[in-house]
Amino acid sequence: QVSAVHLTDPLPKSLQTAMAKPFSLPTLPWPKDALKPNISPETIDFHYGKHHQAYVNKLNDLAAADPAIASKSLEEHIRTSTGVVFNQAAQIWNHTFYWSSLSPSGGGAPAGPIADAIARDFGSFDKFKEQFSAAAAGHFGSGWVWLTVKGGKLSITQTHDAGCPIRDGEIPLLTCDVWEHAYYVDYRNARPEYVKSWWNLVNWEFANKNLAAAQPAARL
């Protein structure tokens, strides 16, 4: 959730209204061509510029009709809201988390505490990668596959549609978007090929930061 921007220069009322919208599209953490050849700039244009933006626009429209919506953060809506408000808030948050789960300098095997936690809870990185890939490629319909902290250990969690693990008290570390709009431009219906490419971009640094933040609450 973001605050309105206040400027001293007079602005047209329409522009003031636009700037005062409570929810905004976050800036990508890398240039839109940074993930190629795994994810093309065209996919980013549609996925980020059209789909992610549409969730932001819809939630702002809902907030304009009901000011109470603007008083809650995305996380609060994910935990407490239902129906169309939950769907828009969760999809904004999920997509923002997804972009951060990817890095042009990512991929490969993990290092640091996340590597140790994966080996502890899955037996090895290869076993984890096999299980996560199977969940992502085999997920029925639209949704998300997550690496989370659940019950004091790492877990692979699948959510359908706009589902988000924080609603159920899990702590997300990474996610793979398996909605068709995440991969159809580049891979058509070959989701397993997209999942293979996703591994070339995994942001283990982001996962390590999330794991460090989760440790006090999760008693890891």
Side-chain angles (χ1 to χ4, degrees):
Q1 188 174 8
V2 296
S3 301
V5 177
H6 301 286
L7 301 176
T8 54
D9 295 333
L11 293 169
K13 186 174 182 181
S14 60
L15 183 55
Q16 292 176 358
T17 301
M19 294 182 70
K21 290 180 179 179
F23 303 99
S24 63
L25 185 70
T27 303
L28 288 170
W30 24 254
K32 70 176 185 179
D33 63 349
L35 305 184
K36 63 181 186 182
N38 299 288
I39 297 177
S40 70
E42 185 180 7
T43 286
I44 300 300
D45 282 339
F46 279 96
H47 194 178
Y48 170 76
K50 302 294 185 182
H51 291 278
H52 197 174
Q53 180 70 68
Y55 299 124
V56 174
N57 293 346
K58 179 64 175 178
L59 190 58
N60 280 322
D61 289 345
L62 294 167
D66 181 358
I69 292 172
S71 69
K72 291 184 178 182
S73 68
L74 294 176
E75 291 85 354
E76 288 173 320
H77 280 301
I78 291 168
R79 292 188 175 97
T80 64
S81 296
T82 59
V84 66
V85 174
F86 168 81
N87 287 337
Q88 309 312 309
Q91 284 292 76
I92 296 169
W93 194 96
N94 290 354
H95 279 87
T96 302
F97 195 85
Y98 171 69
W99 305 130
S100 293
S101 294
L102 306 175
S103 170
S105 58
I114 191 67
D116 297 335
I118 286 172
R120 180 196 66 209
D121 294 335
F122 295 97
S124 70
F125 172 63
D126 286 342
K127 289 179 180 178
F128 161 68
K129 184 176 180 179
E130 180 181 0
Q131 292 177 40
F132 192 100
S133 295
H139 182 87
F140 184 78
S142 300
W144 304 81
V145 179
W146 309 77
L147 176 63
T148 70
V149 176
K150 178 181 180 181
K153 62 183 295 186
L154 301 191
S155 176
I156 297 170
T157 294
Q158 298 184 49
T159 60
H160 288 280
D161 300 324
C164 181
I166 64 174
R167 188 174 181 92
D168 299 316
E170 299 181 40
I171 302 171
L173 305 180
L174 289 169
T175 193
C176 180
D177 185 350
V178 294
W179 282 67
E180 280 194 339
H181 62 235
Y183 58 86
Y184 206 84
V185 169
D186 296 327
Y187 300 95
R188 297 299 186 260
N189 63 331
R191 187 194 288 174
E193 294 304 310
Y194 156 70
V195 174
K196 287 181 183 178
S197 293
W198 180 85
W199 287 108
N200 297 329
L201 301 170
V202 176
N203 189 347
W204 295 116
E205 181 180 354
F206 181 63
N208 270 313
K209 289 179 180 178
N210 291 327
L211 181 63
Q215 285 178 334
R219 297 189 299 276
L220 288 170

